[in-house]
Amino acid sequence: MNCHYLSISLAAVLALSSCQSNQEENNNPSGTTDPVETEQPNTSYSPAFQGQTRIAGVQTTSGFESRILTQTLRSPWGITSLPSGHLLVTEKGGSMRIVTVEGAVGEPITGIPAVNSAGQGGLLGLRLDPDFASNRTIYWVFSEAITGGNVTSVAKGQLSANEKQIENAQVIYRALPAYAGNLHYGGRILFDQTGNLLVSTGERSDLATRPQAQSLSSGLGKIVRITKNGQAASGNPSVGQSGGRPEIYSYGHRNPQGLAIHPVTGELWESEHGPRGGDEINRIQAGANYGWPTITYGIEYSGQTIGAGIQQQQGMQQPVYYWDPVVSPSGMTFYTGNRIPEWQNNLFISSLSGQHLIRLVIENNQVVGEERLLANEGQRFRDITQGSDGALYAITDGGRLYRIDRN
């Protein structure tokens, strides 16, 4: 069933809004199906354990619908829900906007420091302070041009009472060293249960910078854990290397674009872009090494092996799950609502090159089922969040904002 609506934004721009029910697609509502991935892998690599890739497919049995609220956003990258129920969205070019749940798009919020939006850079992930209702503080990640090149930076500022500007904006952290490239910034951010920030940084892609993912004296290719003022958080793991950066929480990452806290265990989960094959989902443990570029389930874009072409090494963590060929996993969230009970505690991931939303069913820290949602929309999904109303909201590189909820 397909239905279409017309709605008018704040700017009086006529925008298309549509909804689509899942009910016609559920031909096997009673259980699992064959794996959802049917394309040939890029490699002949074997998984380290059963269920690490190409797990059985699952299908949602509850009735739900997706609705396009707006398609006028400009390359949105990050999304989060405000206490009012409205949504705060970053746009790659350097703007923040507030969007209502009816799809009305506000004017750009002023006062944000300039970003370098070349390549994969721009205004990236964002997060509200846990005490936002009283301090109105927002934290965001962006690519910043400084002496020596570009860096993944974290800034904070206060959203004005009229919601039109960011006040007292300041950069609190830079993932050094700078590099004159414009790829693999990472860019997600969230708060842990102790009130500290977790931030993902990329290894900047090039052969010259890849090894820094393994270097504990570099801020590239890491998950860092910092205070609200940008200092290394207390309780960080001792990385055990002379000159090691105290903010490092985990290392050996390529281009991590998704972070989420499991609602039951409180553990940090991460999505990470692989090269040609080898996209990963990781359960992040403090002080652990996730292997890039020493181990990987992917290959070079040229078809050559990466390094020694190995997938396992002592002292390096295996991904919980990986994809080959790639789906390009980006922002993600665990579903904690009760409107679709079978989704409870499932992990929802935005897929860029795969052009769908991924639903992973996780039991005992293992993936036991995978579903692809909105695959007929032809959109590169960039980020997803759960709104204060319990619905899921997803943004796409093409400028769309979707609402996904029971029908």
Side-chain angles (χ1 to χ4, degrees):
M1 179 181 71
N2 292 299
C3 54
H4 300 276
Y5 305 90
L6 291 178
S7 62
I8 299 177
S9 72
L10 285 179
V13 177
L14 199 61
L16 177 65
S17 177
S18 69
C19 73
Q20 181 173 353
S21 166
N22 73 317
Q23 291 177 332
E24 291 183 354
E25 300 175 1
N26 289 338
N27 299 318
N28 181 18
S30 60
T32 60
T33 67
D34 292 335
V36 294
E37 182 56 73
T38 59
E39 299 295 327
Q40 290 295 312
N42 291 289
T43 76
S44 59
Y45 298 154
S46 297
F49 54 86
Q50 186 176 4
Q52 194 181 20
T53 190
R54 295 184 182 238
I55 198 68
V58 293
Q59 292 183 329
T60 300
T61 61
S62 303
F64 72 92
E65 67 179 20
S66 63
R67 179 175 300 179
I68 302 171
L69 301 181
T70 182
Q71 53 185 7
T72 63
L73 294 167
R74 300 175 184 176
S75 299
W77 213 96
I79 183 171
T80 193
S81 181
L82 292 164
S84 64
H86 296 167
L87 301 156
L88 185 63
V89 176
T90 59
E91 295 176 319
K92 182 180 181 296
S95 299
M96 274 187 207
R97 297 176 189 267
I98 293 175
V99 186
T100 71
V101 292
E102 291 79 28
V105 181
E107 293 298 314
I109 295 170
T110 62
I112 298 170
V115 309
N116 182 352
S117 61
Q120 295 176 358
L123 191 57
L124 307 175
L126 78 165
R127 193 67 50 167
L128 303 185
D129 191 289
D131 298 318
F132 176 83
S134 59
N135 65 25
R136 302 194 63 80
T137 300
I138 299 168
Y139 299 79
W140 64 93
V141 185
F142 69 109
S143 52
E144 182 184 20
I146 65 172
T147 301
N150 305 311
V151 292
T152 301
S153 297
V154 180
K156 70 175 182 179
Q158 289 75 48
L159 181 65
S160 62
N162 63 8
E163 299 186 331
K164 292 185 177 181
Q165 61 183 337
I166 296 292
E167 299 172 336
N168 306 313
Q170 57 180 308
V171 177
I172 61 171
Y173 177 78
R174 294 181 173 96
L176 299 172
Y179 179 67
N182 55 27
L183 304 175
H184 292 195
Y185 288 100
R188 294 298 173 193
I189 184 170
L190 53 70
F191 276 92
D192 69 9
Q193 294 174 318
T194 67
N196 290 300
L197 289 160
L198 292 157
V199 183
S200 67
T201 73
E203 39 70 284
R204 308 305 305 281
S205 178
D206 291 352
L207 290 174
T209 58
R210 273 186 193 174
Q212 294 195 42
Q214 288 293 315
S215 171
L216 297 176
S217 62
S218 168
L220 308 187
K222 308 296 189 296
I223 306 296
V224 300
R225 181 169 173 265
I226 57 176
T227 68
K228 292 181 180 182
N229 293 320
Q231 303 301 310
S234 63
N236 278 353
S238 173
V239 292
Q241 176 177 309
S242 178
R245 293 179 176 268
E247 72 267 25
I248 292 175
Y249 191 75
S250 65
Y251 62 108
H253 300 292
R254 185 174 182 266
N255 189 21
Q257 286 196 2
L259 294 175
I261 299 289
H262 193 287
V264 176
T265 67
E267 292 179 311
L268 176 66
W269 289 64
E270 173 247 27
S271 70
E272 181 169 329
H273 288 216
R276 186 176 168 187
D279 286 346
E280 297 181 357
I281 296 295
N282 291 296
R283 183 169 62 93
I284 302 299
Q285 301 176 55
N289 180 355
Y290 288 82
W292 177 259
T294 306
I295 61 172
T296 176
Y297 285 93
I299 55 177
E300 299 283 9
Y301 296 112
S302 66
Q304 300 297 309
T305 60
I306 292 172
I310 60 174
Q311 292 73 60
Q312 301 179 48
Q313 181 160 300
Q314 185 72 23
M316 294 183 177
Q317 298 296 313
Q318 283 290 306
V320 172
Y321 197 68
Y322 74 86
W323 291 271
D324 180 14
V326 299
V327 295
S328 307
S330 192
M332 65 189 201
T333 192
F334 283 97
Y335 182 80
T336 60
N338 57 14
R339 298 178 61 79
I340 304 178
E342 65 191 288
W343 287 0
Q344 189 76 28
N345 301 327
N346 290 178
L347 183 60
F348 286 80
I349 308 153
S350 306
S351 167
L352 293 163
S353 63
Q355 298 190 357
H356 58 268
L357 292 174
I358 301 164
R359 171 190 168 223
L360 295 183
V361 182
I362 297 169
E363 296 179 1
N364 299 319
N365 293 327
Q366 290 188 313
V367 176
V368 298
E370 179 177 1
E371 183 175 18
R372 294 183 171 181
L373 304 172
L374 277 63
N376 295 326
E377 296 294 295
Q379 295 289 304
R380 288 170 54 87
F381 286 89
R382 178 63 69 173
D383 197 13
I384 186 167
T385 193
Q386 185 173 312
S388 57
D389 58 359
L392 293 173
Y393 291 88
I395 50 176
T396 74
D397 282 359
R400 291 185 181 182
L401 168 63
Y402 285 84
R403 184 180 189 271
I404 305 149
D405 197 13
R406 71 183 184 192
N407 57 14

PDB file of all heavy atoms in Angstrom, residues 232-260:
ATOM      1  N   ALA A 232      40.829  14.528  28.660  1.00  0.00           N
ATOM      2  CA  ALA A 232      40.717  13.079  28.810  1.00  0.00           C
ATOM      3  C   ALA A 232      39.884  12.768  30.044  1.00  0.00           C
ATOM      4  O   ALA A 232      40.102  13.330  31.117  1.00  0.00           O
ATOM      5  CB  ALA A 232      42.097  12.459  28.925  1.00  0.00           C
ATOM      6  N   ALA A 233      38.900  11.884  29.884  1.00  0.00           N
ATOM      7  CA  ALA A 233      38.029  11.541  31.002  1.00  0.00           C
ATOM      8  C   ALA A 233      38.749  10.642  31.991  1.00  0.00           C
ATOM      9  O   ALA A 233      39.579   9.808  31.610  1.00  0.00           O
ATOM     10  CB  ALA A 233      36.771  10.848  30.477  1.00  0.00           C
ATOM     11  N   SER A 234      38.441  10.797  33.261  1.00  0.00           N
ATOM     12  CA  SER A 234      39.029   9.913  34.272  1.00  0.00           C
ATOM     13  C   SER A 234      38.487   8.506  34.083  1.00  0.00           C
ATOM     14  O   SER A 234      37.356   8.304  33.643  1.00  0.00           O
ATOM     15  CB  SER A 234      38.704  10.428  35.680  1.00  0.00           C
ATOM     16  OG  SER A 234      37.302  10.410  35.894  1.00  0.00           O
ATOM     17  N   GLY A 235      39.314   7.515  34.401  1.00  0.00           N
ATOM     18  CA  GLY A 235      38.890   6.134  34.234  1.00  0.00           C
ATOM     19  C   GLY A 235      39.143   5.572  32.860  1.00  0.00           C
ATOM     20  O   GLY A 235      38.789   4.416  32.592  1.00  0.00           O
ATOM     21  N   ASN A 236      39.763   6.355  31.958  1.00  0.00           N
ATOM     22  CA  ASN A 236      40.116   5.819  30.649  1.00  0.00           C
ATOM     23  C   ASN A 236      41.131   4.694  30.809  1.00  0.00           C
ATOM     24  O   ASN A 236      41.933   4.700  31.751  1.00  0.00           O
ATOM     25  CB  ASN A 236      40.687   6.910  29.748  1.00  0.00           C
ATOM     26  CG  ASN A 236      39.609   7.749  29.086  1.00  0.00           C
ATOM     27  OD1 ASN A 236      38.426   7.438  29.188  1.00  0.00           O
ATOM     28  ND2 ASN A 236      40.016   8.801  28.406  1.00  0.00           N
ATOM     29  N   PRO A 237      41.141   3.735  29.895  1.00  0.00           N
ATOM     30  CA  PRO A 237      42.115   2.639  30.003  1.00  0.00           C
ATOM     31  C   PRO A 237      43.534   3.155  29.828  1.00  0.00           C
ATOM     32  O   PRO A 237      43.788   4.096  29.077  1.00  0.00           O
ATOM     33  CB  PRO A 237      41.723   1.710  28.853  1.00  0.00           C
ATOM     34  CG  PRO A 237      41.030   2.597  27.865  1.00  0.00           C
ATOM     35  CD  PRO A 237      40.297   3.614  28.692  1.00  0.00           C
ATOM     36  N   SER A 238      44.445   2.541  30.524  1.00  0.00           N
ATOM     37  CA  SER A 238      45.855   2.862  30.321  1.00  0.00           C
ATOM     38  C   SER A 238      46.300   2.182  29.038  1.00  0.00           C
ATOM     39  O   SER A 238      46.265   0.965  28.914  1.00  0.00           O
ATOM     40  CB  SER A 238      46.698   2.350  31.499  1.00  0.00           C
ATOM     41  OG  SER A 238      48.079   2.521  31.226  1.00  0.00           O
ATOM     42  N   VAL A 239      46.686   2.985  28.054  1.00  0.00           N
ATOM     43  CA  VAL A 239      47.031   2.409  26.757  1.00  0.00           C
ATOM     44  C   VAL A 239      48.419   1.802  26.742  1.00  0.00           C
ATOM     45  O   VAL A 239      48.793   1.145  25.775  1.00  0.00           O
ATOM     46  CB  VAL A 239      46.884   3.467  25.640  1.00  0.00           C
ATOM     47  CG1 VAL A 239      45.429   3.821  25.443  1.00  0.00           C
ATOM     48  CG2 VAL A 239      47.690   4.720  25.956  1.00  0.00           C
ATOM     49  N   GLY A 240      49.202   2.004  27.793  1.00  0.00           N
ATOM     50  CA  GLY A 240      50.426   1.244  27.979  1.00  0.00           C
ATOM     51  C   GLY A 240      51.510   1.496  26.967  1.00  0.00           C
ATOM     52  O   GLY A 240      52.284   0.612  26.636  1.00  0.00           O
ATOM     53  N   GLN A 241      51.586   2.698  26.464  1.00  0.00           N
ATOM     54  CA  GLN A 241      52.645   3.014  25.501  1.00  0.00           C
ATOM     55  C   GLN A 241      53.170   4.412  25.813  1.00  0.00           C
ATOM     56  O   GLN A 241      52.384   5.340  26.028  1.00  0.00           O
ATOM     57  CB  GLN A 241      52.110   2.957  24.067  1.00  0.00           C
ATOM     58  CG  GLN A 241      53.124   3.368  23.004  1.00  0.00           C
ATOM     59  CD  GLN A 241      52.546   3.221  21.599  1.00  0.00           C
ATOM     60  OE1 GLN A 241      52.019   2.180  21.242  1.00  0.00           O
ATOM     61  NE2 GLN A 241      52.642   4.265  20.805  1.00  0.00           N
ATOM     62  N   SER A 242      54.459   4.570  25.821  1.00  0.00           N
ATOM     63  CA  SER A 242      55.041   5.883  26.079  1.00  0.00           C
ATOM     64  C   SER A 242      54.525   6.875  25.045  1.00  0.00           C
ATOM     65  O   SER A 242      54.556   6.618  23.846  1.00  0.00           O
ATOM     66  CB  SER A 242      56.565   5.796  26.006  1.00  0.00           C
ATOM     67  OG  SER A 242      57.135   7.075  26.200  1.00  0.00           O
ATOM     68  N   GLY A 243      54.021   7.989  25.516  1.00  0.00           N
ATOM     69  CA  GLY A 243      53.476   8.997  24.617  1.00  0.00           C
ATOM     70  C   GLY A 243      52.050   8.745  24.199  1.00  0.00           C
ATOM     71  O   GLY A 243      51.504   9.482  23.385  1.00  0.00           O
ATOM     72  N   GLY A 244      51.421   7.722  24.757  1.00  0.00           N
ATOM     73  CA  GLY A 244      50.043   7.421  24.422  1.00  0.00           C
ATOM     74  C   GLY A 244      49.099   8.522  24.868  1.00  0.00           C
ATOM     75  O   GLY A 244      49.265   9.105  25.941  1.00  0.00           O
ATOM     76  N   ARG A 245      48.080   8.786  24.071  1.00  0.00           N
ATOM     77  CA  ARG A 245      47.124   9.851  24.384  1.00  0.00           C
ATOM     78  C   ARG A 245      46.121   9.370  25.432  1.00  0.00           C
ATOM     79  O   ARG A 245      45.479   8.324  25.250  1.00  0.00           O
ATOM     80  CB  ARG A 245      46.395  10.296  23.116  1.00  0.00           C
ATOM     81  CG  ARG A 245      47.307  10.991  22.115  1.00  0.00           C
ATOM     82  CD  ARG A 245      46.549  11.407  20.865  1.00  0.00           C
ATOM     83  NE  ARG A 245      47.413  12.152  19.976  1.00  0.00           N
ATOM     84  CZ  ARG A 245      47.541  13.483  19.970  1.00  0.00           C
ATOM     85  NH1 ARG A 245      46.844  14.199  20.836  1.00  0.00           N
ATOM     86  NH2 ARG A 245      48.344  14.082  19.131  1.00  0.00           N
ATOM     87  N   PRO A 246      45.940  10.129  26.506  1.00  0.00           N
ATOM     88  CA  PRO A 246      45.078   9.664  27.597  1.00  0.00           C
ATOM     89  C   PRO A 246      43.594   9.653  27.247  1.00  0.00           C
ATOM     90  O   PRO A 246      42.804   9.043  27.976  1.00  0.00           O
ATOM     91  CB  PRO A 246      45.372  10.664  28.721  1.00  0.00           C
ATOM     92  CG  PRO A 246      45.824  11.912  28.022  1.00  0.00           C
ATOM     93  CD  PRO A 246      46.581  11.426  26.820  1.00  0.00           C
ATOM     94  N   GLU A 247      43.201  10.309  26.142  1.00  0.00           N
ATOM     95  CA  GLU A 247      41.790  10.322  25.765  1.00  0.00           C
ATOM     96  C   GLU A 247      41.367   9.061  25.018  1.00  0.00           C
ATOM     97  O   GLU A 247      40.174   8.818  24.810  1.00  0.00           O
ATOM     98  CB  GLU A 247      41.465  11.561  24.922  1.00  0.00           C
ATOM     99  CG  GLU A 247      42.024  11.551  23.500  1.00  0.00           C
ATOM    100  CD  GLU A 247      43.384  12.223  23.394  1.00  0.00           C
ATOM    101  OE1 GLU A 247      44.097  12.268  24.421  1.00  0.00           O
ATOM    102  OE2 GLU A 247      43.714  12.707  22.292  1.00  0.00           O
ATOM    103  N   ILE A 248      42.325   8.224  24.591  1.00  0.00           N
ATOM    104  CA  ILE A 248      41.993   7.058  23.770  1.00  0.00           C
ATOM    105  C   ILE A 248      41.215   6.033  24.589  1.00  0.00           C
ATOM    106  O   ILE A 248      41.611   5.632  25.685  1.00  0.00           O
ATOM    107  CB  ILE A 248      43.270   6.422  23.191  1.00  0.00           C
ATOM    108  CG1 ILE A 248      43.904   7.368  22.160  1.00  0.00           C
ATOM    109  CG2 ILE A 248      42.951   5.066  22.544  1.00  0.00           C
ATOM    110  CD1 ILE A 248      45.233   6.887  21.614  1.00  0.00           C
ATOM    111  N   TYR A 249      40.090   5.604  24.011  1.00  0.00           N
ATOM    112  CA  TYR A 249      39.251   4.576  24.627  1.00  0.00           C
ATOM    113  C   TYR A 249      39.400   3.242  23.902  1.00  0.00           C
ATOM    114  O   TYR A 249      39.436   2.182  24.522  1.00  0.00           O
ATOM    115  CB  TYR A 249      37.793   5.034  24.620  1.00  0.00           C
ATOM    116  CG  TYR A 249      36.878   4.177  25.451  1.00  0.00           C
ATOM    117  CD1 TYR A 249      36.898   4.262  26.842  1.00  0.00           C
ATOM    118  CD2 TYR A 249      35.990   3.283  24.853  1.00  0.00           C
ATOM    119  CE1 TYR A 249      36.052   3.476  27.620  1.00  0.00           C
ATOM    120  CE2 TYR A 249      35.138   2.496  25.624  1.00  0.00           C
ATOM    121  CZ  TYR A 249      35.176   2.591  27.000  1.00  0.00           C
ATOM    122  OH  TYR A 249      34.354   1.811  27.775  1.00  0.00           O
ATOM    123  N   SER A 250      39.481   3.278  22.564  1.00  0.00           N
ATOM    124  CA  SER A 250      39.775   2.098  21.760  1.00  0.00           C
ATOM    125  C   SER A 250      40.474   2.567  20.500  1.00  0.00           C
ATOM    126  O   SER A 250      40.432   3.749  20.141  1.00  0.00           O
ATOM    127  CB  SER A 250      38.511   1.307  21.429  1.00  0.00           C
ATOM    128  OG  SER A 250      37.640   2.054  20.596  1.00  0.00           O
ATOM    129  N   TYR A 251      41.112   1.624  19.783  1.00  0.00           N
ATOM    130  CA  TYR A 251      41.903   2.023  18.616  1.00  0.00           C
ATOM    131  C   TYR A 251      41.859   0.934  17.554  1.00  0.00           C
ATOM    132  O   TYR A 251      41.217  -0.109  17.716  1.00  0.00           O
ATOM    133  CB  TYR A 251      43.330   2.378  19.014  1.00  0.00           C
ATOM    134  CG  TYR A 251      44.165   1.265  19.631  1.00  0.00           C
ATOM    135  CD1 TYR A 251      45.202   0.679  18.923  1.00  0.00           C
ATOM    136  CD2 TYR A 251      43.941   0.840  20.942  1.00  0.00           C
ATOM    137  CE1 TYR A 251      45.990  -0.322  19.490  1.00  0.00           C
ATOM    138  CE2 TYR A 251      44.728  -0.148  21.517  1.00  0.00           C
ATOM    139  CZ  TYR A 251      45.741  -0.731  20.790  1.00  0.00           C
ATOM    140  OH  TYR A 251      46.521  -1.718  21.350  1.00  0.00           O
ATOM    141  N   GLY A 252      42.545   1.205  16.418  1.00  0.00           N
ATOM    142  CA  GLY A 252      42.507   0.274  15.302  1.00  0.00           C
ATOM    143  C   GLY A 252      41.241   0.374  14.478  1.00  0.00           C
ATOM    144  O   GLY A 252      40.758  -0.612  13.930  1.00  0.00           O
ATOM    145  N   HIS A 253      40.703   1.606  14.355  1.00  0.00           N
ATOM    146  CA  HIS A 253      39.472   1.828  13.601  1.00  0.00           C
ATOM    147  C   HIS A 253      39.777   2.489  12.254  1.00  0.00           C
ATOM    148  O   HIS A 253      40.737   3.253  12.141  1.00  0.00           O
ATOM    149  CB  HIS A 253      38.512   2.709  14.396  1.00  0.00           C
ATOM    150  CG  HIS A 253      38.110   2.121  15.720  1.00  0.00           C
ATOM    151  ND1 HIS A 253      37.330   0.994  15.819  1.00  0.00           N
ATOM    152  CD2 HIS A 253      38.405   2.499  16.993  1.00  0.00           C
ATOM    153  CE1 HIS A 253      37.144   0.704  17.104  1.00  0.00           C
ATOM    154  NE2 HIS A 253      37.783   1.604  17.834  1.00  0.00           N
ATOM    155  N   ARG A 254      38.929   2.219  11.274  1.00  0.00           N
ATOM    156  CA  ARG A 254      39.127   2.799   9.929  1.00  0.00           C
ATOM    157  C   ARG A 254      38.324   4.093   9.774  1.00  0.00           C
ATOM    158  O   ARG A 254      38.874   5.175   9.773  1.00  0.00           O
ATOM    159  CB  ARG A 254      38.749   1.785   8.849  1.00  0.00           C
ATOM    160  CG  ARG A 254      39.041   2.266   7.415  1.00  0.00           C
ATOM    161  CD  ARG A 254      38.788   1.151   6.412  1.00  0.00           C
ATOM    162  NE  ARG A 254      39.099   1.570   5.047  1.00  0.00           N
ATOM    163  CZ  ARG A 254      38.223   2.072   4.186  1.00  0.00           C
ATOM    164  NH1 ARG A 254      36.932   2.225   4.556  1.00  0.00           N
ATOM    165  NH2 ARG A 254      38.588   2.430   2.970  1.00  0.00           N
ATOM    166  N   ASN A 255      37.020   3.974   9.650  1.00  0.00           N
ATOM    167  CA  ASN A 255      36.170   5.159   9.513  1.00  0.00           C
ATOM    168  C   ASN A 255      34.858   4.906  10.248  1.00  0.00           C
ATOM    169  O   ASN A 255      33.846   4.565   9.637  1.00  0.00           O
ATOM    170  CB  ASN A 255      35.911   5.480   8.039  1.00  0.00           C
ATOM    171  CG  ASN A 255      35.208   6.819   7.856  1.00  0.00           C
ATOM    172  OD1 ASN A 255      35.244   7.688   8.719  1.00  0.00           O
ATOM    173  ND2 ASN A 255      34.561   6.989   6.715  1.00  0.00           N
ATOM    174  N   PRO A 256      34.865   5.039  11.566  1.00  0.00           N
ATOM    175  CA  PRO A 256      33.669   4.724  12.365  1.00  0.00           C
ATOM    176  C   PRO A 256      32.634   5.841  12.307  1.00  0.00           C
ATOM    177  O   PRO A 256      32.867   6.940  12.792  1.00  0.00           O
ATOM    178  CB  PRO A 256      34.235   4.548  13.780  1.00  0.00           C
ATOM    179  CG  PRO A 256      35.506   5.348  13.797  1.00  0.00           C
ATOM    180  CD  PRO A 256      36.023   5.403  12.396  1.00  0.00           C
ATOM    181  N   GLN A 257      31.478   5.532  11.737  1.00  0.00           N
ATOM    182  CA  GLN A 257      30.432   6.541  11.568  1.00  0.00           C
ATOM    183  C   GLN A 257      29.164   6.247  12.360  1.00  0.00           C
ATOM    184  O   GLN A 257      28.144   6.909  12.154  1.00  0.00           O
ATOM    185  CB  GLN A 257      30.088   6.702  10.085  1.00  0.00           C
ATOM    186  CG  GLN A 257      31.149   7.436   9.296  1.00  0.00           C
ATOM    187  CD  GLN A 257      30.658   7.921   7.940  1.00  0.00           C
ATOM    188  OE1 GLN A 257      29.489   7.756   7.570  1.00  0.00           O
ATOM    189  NE2 GLN A 257      31.539   8.535   7.180  1.00  0.00           N
ATOM    190  N   GLY A 258      29.208   5.273  13.243  1.00  0.00           N
ATOM    191  CA  GLY A 258      28.042   4.996  14.068  1.00  0.00           C
ATOM    192  C   GLY A 258      28.441   4.626  15.483  1.00  0.00           C
ATOM    193  O   GLY A 258      29.368   3.842  15.687  1.00  0.00           O
ATOM    194  N   LEU A 259      27.751   5.206  16.469  1.00  0.00           N
ATOM    195  CA  LEU A 259      27.949   4.872  17.880  1.00  0.00           C
ATOM    196  C   LEU A 259      26.581   4.762  18.546  1.00  0.00           C
ATOM    197  O   LEU A 259      25.690   5.571  18.283  1.00  0.00           O
ATOM    198  CB  LEU A 259      28.759   5.942  18.607  1.00  0.00           C
ATOM    199  CG  LEU A 259      30.224   6.167  18.208  1.00  0.00           C
ATOM    200  CD1 LEU A 259      30.799   7.358  18.978  1.00  0.00           C
ATOM    201  CD2 LEU A 259      31.062   4.925  18.441  1.00  0.00           C
ATOM    202  N   ALA A 260      26.427   3.765  19.413  1.00  0.00           N
ATOM    203  CA  ALA A 260      25.178   3.614  20.155  1.00  0.00           C
ATOM    204  C   ALA A 260      25.447   2.836  21.433  1.00  0.00           C
ATOM    205  O   ALA A 260      26.296   1.940  21.458  1.00  0.00           O
ATOM    206  CB  ALA A 260      24.121   2.892  19.310  1.00  0.00           C
TER     207      ALA A 260
END
